[in-house]
Amino acid sequence: MTHSVFIAGEWRPARSIGTFRTQNPATGEPLTGEYPISSWDDCDAALSAATEAAQELRRVPPEKIAQFLNRYADRLDMLKSELSQLAHFETALPVSPRLADVELPRTTTQLRQAAAAALEGSWALPTIDTKANIRSCLAPIGPVVVFGPNNFPFAFNGAAGGDFAAAIAAGNPVIAKGHPLHAGTTRTMTDVAAGALADTGLPAPTLQLIYRMEPSSGLRIVSDRRVGATAFTGGRAGGLALKAAADGAGKPIYLELSSVNPVVILPGSLEERGEAVADEYAASALLGGGQFCTSPGLAILFEGSGTGRFVTALTQKFDAAVPVPLLSAGVARGLTESVQVLRGAGAELVTGGVRLKPDTPNGESSRFANTLLRVTGRQFLSSPDQLQTEAFGSAVLCVIVRDGSEAAAVIDHLEGSLTGCIYSAQNGDDDALYADLAPRLRARVGRLLNDKMPTGVTLSPAMNHGGLYPATSHPGFTAVGIPASLRRFGALHCYDNVRPGRLPAALRDKSPNGRMWRFIDGQWSQADVPV
Amino acid sequence: MTHSVFIAGEWRPARSIGTFRTQNPATGEPLTGEYPISSWDDCDAALSAATEAAQELRRVPPEKIAQFLNRYADRLDMLKSELSQLAHFETALPVSPRLADVELPRTTTQLRQAAAAALEGSWALPTIDTKANIRSCLAPIGPVVVFGPNNFPFAFNGAAGGDFAAAIAAGNPVIAKGHPLHAGTTRTMTDVAAGALADTGLPAPTLQLIYRMEPSSGLRIVSDRRVGATAFTGGRAGGLALKAAADGAGKPIYLELSSVNPVVILPGSLEERGEAVADEYAASALLGGGQFCTSPGLAILFEGSGTGRFVTALTQKFDAAVPVPLLSAGVARGLTESVQVLRGAGAELVTGGVRLKPDTPNGESSRFANTLLRVTGRQFLSSPDQLQTEAFGSAVLCVIVRDGSEAAAVIDHLEGSLTGCIYSAQNGDDDALYADLAPRLRARVGRLLNDKMPTGVTLSPAMNHGGLYPATSHPGFTAVGIPASLRRFGALHCYDNVRPGRLPAALRDKSPNGRMWRFIDGQWSQADVPV
């Protein structure tokens, strides 16, 4: 049986050019059913339906959009066990706590925050100049294509995750390109969304689903005249190819790609609380098999006995933890290759570095030993590009520098990353090093942390899950954090001398809801325009 | 004599690969002095100096940046007569009112608004989540390259205009690529800026000036690792070539390119006040020789007697106005070619269409007859691309449609524009047409106007001087309007669990100035973080 795609409001057979199957990465067993690889015809049909839906959505009051997002969240919560079980089979991520207790609640919280943001309307930065009678706000950008990644079957799912929620809350329809590794989870979530759309009376093509398409169709869809913007979370090669296509057509594309997430551990912090830092590091690096965008893949440490003890402790913890099955055998294969590249560039293997035997006789293993590697600062500086190869999984490279100036040089050679952390002593011993290194690290990352590992990406209005190229495509935007993440999907619409009755609700003298923050004559205010 | 470039804080001879001269476009007479065409060496030196200046600027309090911008504005105001005279010789734009009474005051107002924005700091959208202790704001993006256009020697000058002011106020150094047609004006302004920089103690390379570079160096500078972002105002071919280079390196580039700026004139408005509408249209289209980004190049009119009278009136006004010298003979040449393309695609010449005789025996003419062309809606729809060829100068194409549905089709075929206007009757006769056409036009433009021509771009926080590709490179940003224009030059910096004393001033509990708007726990506030 081949599953249907969801296009123009109906589940229908794909116009496909082939099929694929999913499998349980823990066992290598194939899961039931085949999924279609869509031809351009499916993409084209989805774009046409999305264009019409975009026009309809402009006439829909925000209350209805919020109602849909809330109802969708409620229904997902009700199906928590089933969804977690399904996602577990497809991803090997544990049902509990990961899928059922962390990721699904995160996903529905995100949907509800998006609902609240749509309802309030402040995300659009409505700005009113009463004297000149010029008014502006962000408005829906048009159909948004969301490419979901492999590593979050719920929270970054193209049909339910953060990009989806932000695009919908900003008033846009979404064409979800689900990740093939968890096609069944995405299909089920889309079906839940379809029910919520019908319940609330939104246009059915507010969400459409394609599981997989030819690479050439991917390049074509992100650059199509009908599309408003694209959000892509995933690997660098695919993301940059899509970016080139979208850029060439003048279409915004927001990427959230791989990143090594440097952690600088200053010597005083190890003197003070070395064991605790090693605990925190190991827990963060091993979490979810290290398969996070913000996994701490690169530690910068200072030569000395504290670092020696830290590496020993980390090694013990890595050895003691049983490697989990990764998201697919392909991920294990990629990790094998990355570790080879790192070793080829001079990194010394401290522990791990090998792929484990398959669990089933004929299967391909999806497990890889927890891996720690080490280079000196000098070696790093001789091959800085290769030694920043992302090793997606639980693999950490320790760069051991001689002194502050070598640390500074290493940091200055880092590519853009989503996050950067600095651990320093509480007693002030590291303050001089911090003062020199923090501004350098600040310039390379989107989120700077103190004394804290990067893998928790709090759902906060102040979050930046973004950073410099090549971790993302634009340093001014974040993929997580409402309301800011919605602004990626807005076009600035200005109204100059437009008659009052013709203005959108957000820009009329009377506040549409008494809660929307508007920048009126230089002041942020929730009130009506003063008479 | 060959003029110097201003690099790394000093006026020094360029490492040049050639020279060029400027001339008075009204007379064809060459002006004194030669200007260098810089080699990559100059660009490289400017980038290195800018990188250091960017680091220094991060430690400079906003008060000093504001002080520089204000002092620069004051000095420009004092030199109003000299600057206006100089710019007049180079551009043929009239000293009064244009240069001395409109454009220079606009420029210094913009610098002072930027100073106020830098001082207040609200532009950076500081966001504080006290519960999670996560804080974020926009921070300087890094050295900004500003390419100034030919048509505003002051207000969009790379060394003094809106992009310059926004980039500096956001805390970034600027490398100005002056426009070769008014190299002397840019040189003088840069010298004034250099004095103001010295007075206020900002790093001298906060502004650097290159007059001209090889195209290959342009592609290289916008994609250099050291650059933060680029702003370009000018023609489409050059802008899109730079965009391709910047995009390929993941460097933000903000374009403000040509645009036809459609004006839809509904039949009721002509019945009601046809003569007045023709007056307004002619004044806007003829202003400054039509050499504005927002010049109304395309009128959409409905078949009928009102439109007949309108076209006749416009023809009379175009014929009665003496064509001004354009910014250069090259602009007149470009206009000649554009009118040929329009005619080749089926546009009928109503009046004008010819280049005027040169004023000097051996010169090349920079004057072109005020030009009106006409096509039917049906013809337009058969060659919509060619018939949207921008004719930079006073040339207007009237598209005369049969009915509302043809008007809708014409609008749906428009490329992205900066502005779009609709004139409609006050008595309600046009309301049904407006309701159908306005959403379509809204989707194609950055600024929608009612009953008003687009050429006045008010300096307002609510302004959008932006729009869809290919008029710009991203629909979410504006080149005019403070504080929004500053945000183009900010990178989102998040601080997660960072110790209080290490936070930037904008994100500490205590407001740095009691006036900065910060989004604290979901509320915009000018107060300190509540204890």
Side-chain angles (χ1 to χ4, degrees), chain A residues 263-289:
Chain A
V263 179
V264 182
I265 302 177
L266 299 181
S269 70
L270 291 182
E271 287 305 315
E272 210 172 66
R273 56 188 204 282
E275 188 65 29
V277 176
D279 276 346
E280 288 179 43
Y281 204 115
S284 177
L286 297 175
L287 191 70

Side-chain angles (χ1 to χ4, degrees), chain B residues 6 8-11 56-57 60 64-65 67-72 75 164 168 189-208:
Chain B
F6 187 63
E10 56 171 5
W11 289 104
E56 287 183 58
L57 282 173
V60 164
K64 273 191 130 174
I65 291 174
Q67 202 185 347
F68 157 65
L69 289 166
N70 282 324
R71 182 148 322 190
Y72 186 20
R75 288 184 172 218
F164 166 85
I168 297 280
M189 294 183 108
T190 301
D191 202 40
V192 176
L197 286 169
D199 278 2
T200 43
L202 286 197
T206 296
L207 172 61
Q208 301 180 87

Side-chain angles (χ1 to χ4, degrees), chain A residues 321-335:
Chain A
V322 179
V324 299
L326 297 171
L327 294 161
S328 71
V331 169
R333 224 179 296 136
L335 185 51

Side-chain angles (χ1 to χ4, degrees), chain A residues 55 58 120 122 125 127-129 132-136 138 141 225 228 243 246-252 254 272-273 412-415 422-428 430-431 434 439 442-453 456 458-465 467-469 472-478 482-484 487-488 490-499 502 517 519 522-526, chain B residues 58 120 122 125 127-129 132-136 138 141 225 228 243 246-252 254 272-273 412-415 422-428 430-431 434 439-440 442-453 456 458-465 467-469 472-478 482-484 487-488 490-499 502 517 519 522-526:
Chain A
Q55 280 163 12
R58 276 166 212 208
E120 188 189 285
S122 311
L125 303 175
T127 301
I128 297 177
D129 176 342
N133 192 22
I134 300 177
R135 298 164 190 238
S136 62
L138 292 171
I141 202 170
R225 188 182 196 264
K243 172 170 153 55
D247 285 343
K251 294 292 182 182
Y254 304 99
E272 210 172 66
R273 56 188 204 282
D412 290 346
H413 278 80
L414 293 177
E415 287 188 326
I422 305 184
Y423 277 75
S424 60
Q426 296 292 344
N427 65 9
D430 292 323
D431 285 2
Y434 186 95
R442 176 68 282 181
R444 317 299 315 145
V445 305
R447 178 164 55 114
L448 179 73
L449 300 98
N450 274 188
D451 312 309
K452 187 180 172 188
M453 296 303 295
T458 308
L459 299 180
S460 161
M463 176 50 64
N464 181 15
H465 193 59
L468 259 71
Y469 182 88
T472 75
S473 51
H474 192 296
F477 293 102
T478 176
I482 289 172
R487 291 188 197 121
R488 297 173 297 160
L492 186 57
H493 278 187
C494 174
Y495 295 82
D496 187 344
N497 199 42
V498 167
R499 299 186 197 168
R502 294 169 172 178
W517 286 98
F519 193 63
Q523 308 281 315
W524 284 102
S525 162
Q526 290 178 296
Chain B
R58 275 166 213 209
E120 187 188 286
S122 311
L125 304 175
T127 302
I128 297 177
D129 176 342
N133 191 22
I134 300 176
R135 299 166 189 235
S136 62
L138 292 171
I141 200 168
R225 188 182 196 265
K243 171 170 154 54
D247 285 342
K251 296 291 182 183
Y254 304 99
E272 209 173 64
R273 54 189 206 281
D412 289 347
H413 278 80
L414 293 177
E415 289 188 324
I422 305 184
Y423 278 75
S424 60
Q426 295 293 344
N427 65 9
D430 291 324
D431 285 2
Y434 186 96
R440 297 172 190 272
R442 175 69 283 181
R444 316 303 312 146
V445 305
R447 177 164 55 111
L448 179 72
L449 301 98
N450 274 187
D451 312 309
K452 187 179 169 190
M453 296 303 296
T458 307
L459 299 179
S460 161
M463 176 50 64
N464 181 14
H465 193 59
L468 260 72
Y469 181 87
T472 76
S473 50
H474 192 297
F477 293 103
T478 176
I482 290 171
R487 290 185 199 124
R488 296 173 298 161
L492 186 58
H493 279 188
C494 173
Y495 295 82
D496 188 344
N497 199 42
V498 168
R499 300 185 196 167
R502 295 169 171 178
W517 286 99
F519 194 63
Q523 306 283 313
W524 284 103
S525 163
Q526 290 178 297

Side-chain angles (χ1 to χ4, degrees), chain B residues 18 86 92 124 130 251 342 371 444 450 461 515 521:
Chain B
L86 178 53
T130 58
K251 296 291 182 183
L342 294 170
T371 298
R444 316 303 312 146
N450 274 187
R515 289 177 299 124
D521 294 334

Side-chain angles (χ1 to χ4, degrees), chain A residues 217-243:
Chain A
S217 293
L219 303 180
R220 207 166 154 187
I221 199 169
V222 302
S223 53
D224 192 275
R225 188 182 196 264
R226 291 163 288 183
V227 93
T230 295
F232 173 93
T233 307
R236 188 181 292 184
L240 294 186
L242 292 176
K243 172 170 153 55

